[in-house]
Amino acid sequence: MKYELERLPYATNALEPVMDEKTVEIHYYKHHSAYLNNLNAALEGVNLPYDTIEKLLLNLGELPLALQQTVRNNGGGYYNHTLFWKMLTPNGTLAPSGELLAAIERDFGSFEQFKKAFEDAGLKRFGSGWVWLVRTPSGALKIVTTANQDTPLSEGEILLGVDVWEHAYYLKYQNLRAQYLRNIWQIINWDYVAQRFES
Ligand code: MN3
């Protein structure tokens, strides 16, 4: 089974000015596609019983030892970015609504408090990684961060994820990760997050 690069759901300049065209180009065509190519190369000729990338990533410990780290990094990188592009949109609604909003208010007090906590978590993630909103098996919403290209799949279902690797923001924001995180809300695809929440 070969994994494929999903089409970017908008033009590379569509997320301007929050995310500049050059960043999106390099991020999608170079970084994302390199994770994909490395993943496919690592799994070439390897027969695995997993029919989804999620199952593969949740069962890294079952892989041959020599493959585990490569699949963790590149499979995670491929998967995280496949989600990330869909979680962004040039036509953002700025806020969720309905049951998703109600769940955020229940677990974080208010949407504003949620955004603050999410930004803080992303800012505190040392080095390269991701900040996530997940739904735990108990149904609670929770903010978690992961290092490198690790996924939060073992914590629960992924609702939202934001890449805080420097490659996601450095060309435009340089060292100002906080500003990147503050601006990212303008391009979050809450309709897609709601679809994940409702599924
Ligand atoms: Mn990235």
Side-chain angles (χ1 to χ4, degrees):
M1 156 171 190
K2 269 205 180 287
Y3 293 98
E4 288 174 5
L5 191 63
E6 279 190 30
R7 213 174 133 262
L8 198 63
Y10 33 74
T12 49
N13 66 355
L15 304 177
E16 295 264 13
V18 175
M19 199 177 278
D20 61 288
E21 175 165 30
K22 194 80 190 160
T23 293
V24 174
E25 274 179 13
I26 297 172
H27 202 169
Y28 175 73
Y29 289 108
K30 306 290 182 190
H31 292 277
H32 187 176
S33 104
Y35 294 124
L36 168 71
N37 294 335
N38 292 339
L39 174 66
N40 281 331
L43 296 181
E44 180 92 52
V46 181
N47 237 329
L48 296 171
Y50 312 117
D51 57 352
T52 66
I53 182 86
E54 286 91 349
K55 287 182 199 162
L56 172 68
L57 293 171
L58 276 167
N59 292 284
L60 288 171
E62 306 295 316
L63 297 178
L65 202 55
L67 279 182
Q68 288 181 12
Q69 196 61 45
T70 301
V71 173
R72 180 175 179 167
N73 292 343
N74 293 286
Y78 164 65
Y79 177 66
N80 291 342
H81 289 86
T82 298
L83 296 177
F84 185 52
W85 301 121
K86 289 188 278 205
M87 288 164 173
L88 303 179
T89 175
N91 307 306
T93 55
L94 299 180
S97 57
E99 287 182 26
L100 173 58
L101 176 61
I104 287 173
E105 290 172 341
R106 178 195 66 205
D107 292 337
F108 299 99
S110 68
F111 180 56
E112 286 307 312
Q113 283 174 281
F114 158 72
K115 287 199 293 186
K116 178 80 170 58
F118 192 91
E119 289 173 32
D120 284 351
L123 196 55
K124 285 183 187 137
R125 172 76 256 172
F126 186 76
S128 299
W130 291 75
V131 54
W132 307 93
L133 177 67
V134 301
R135 176 169 46 202
T136 67
S138 72
L141 302 191
K142 184 181 170 192
I143 293 167
V144 296
T145 68
T146 56
N148 303 316
Q149 294 297 351
D150 289 353
T151 76
L153 286 167
S154 61
E155 299 261 4
E157 300 161 78
I158 297 171
L159 302 180
L160 173 66
V162 171
D163 192 338
V164 296
W165 281 59
E166 284 186 345
H167 68 226
Y169 62 86
Y170 210 86
L171 290 181
K172 183 177 173 79
Y173 297 92
Q174 290 80 50
N175 59 319
L176 303 179
R177 187 191 287 185
Q179 190 62 50
Y180 161 70
L181 286 167
R182 207 168 303 137
N183 286 0
I184 199 84
W185 302 114
Q186 297 172 44
I187 54 169
I188 295 296
N189 188 345
W190 287 109
D191 291 341
Y192 179 66
V193 177
Q195 273 178 39
R196 299 185 65 85
F197 177 78
E198 281 151 22
S199 69

